[in-house]
Amino acid sequence: MPNLKPIDPATADAGIAASLAAVKAKLGSVPNMFLTMANTPVALNGYLQLSAATATGKLSAKQREAIALAVGQENACGYCLAAHSVIGDMVGLSAADISAARKGEAAHSRDAALISLAADITEKR
């Protein structure tokens, strides 16, 4: 089965290089997921636009990351858990918050309800 190779930002076209530079500026590095999506610029830019749009919604960055952790745990996705643990830390989730989110729990009732709903939807599809 063929595998997609991550794009090297140094050899990417100007548009993709700019998108990857923006990711690096925001996260401090460019995760392989973004480098691999860069093989299809519309996929990378679509993902970045969706991420930007959800950032302006009613959920805080901490809530979004806690939900991502609960969903990653439900899907048994080690990559997702690693990435969202790092990003969760960046947005202010404590180690206890990250651990709780992975268990479908949170200290505040609204957050616990959001996390539980996300895990339940993921489990029942």
Side-chain angles (χ1 to χ4, degrees):
M1 172 197 300
N3 292 320
L4 289 174
K5 303 288 185 218
I7 295 291
D8 179 355
T11 61
D13 72 44
I16 291 299
S19 294
L20 295 173
V23 170
K24 185 173 184 176
K26 184 173 184 177
L27 298 179
S29 65
V30 184
N32 281 337
M33 181 181 85
F34 294 92
L35 296 171
T36 303
M37 277 194 289
N39 282 287
T40 305
V42 73
L44 174 63
N45 291 323
Y47 181 85
L48 294 174
Q49 289 171 4
L50 177 62
S51 294
T54 60
T56 64
K58 295 202 181 261
L59 299 179
S60 70
K62 287 181 181 182
Q63 289 170 325
R64 290 191 310 272
E65 290 309 316
I67 289 168
L69 286 160
V71 170
Q73 185 70 40
E74 189 61 41
N75 285 327
C77 178
Y79 183 91
C80 301
L81 291 169
H84 290 289
S85 292
V86 170
I87 297 169
D89 181 62
M90 290 172 63
V91 300
L93 290 177
S94 68
D97 294 332
I98 290 168
S99 178
R102 290 181 62 172
K103 295 174 190 169
E105 302 168 355
H108 301 291
S109 60
R110 181 171 186 228
D111 295 343
L114 289 167
I115 293 166
S116 177
L117 175 64
D120 194 46
I121 290 170
T122 304
E123 175 189 358
K124 294 180 178 156
R125 307 230 189 269

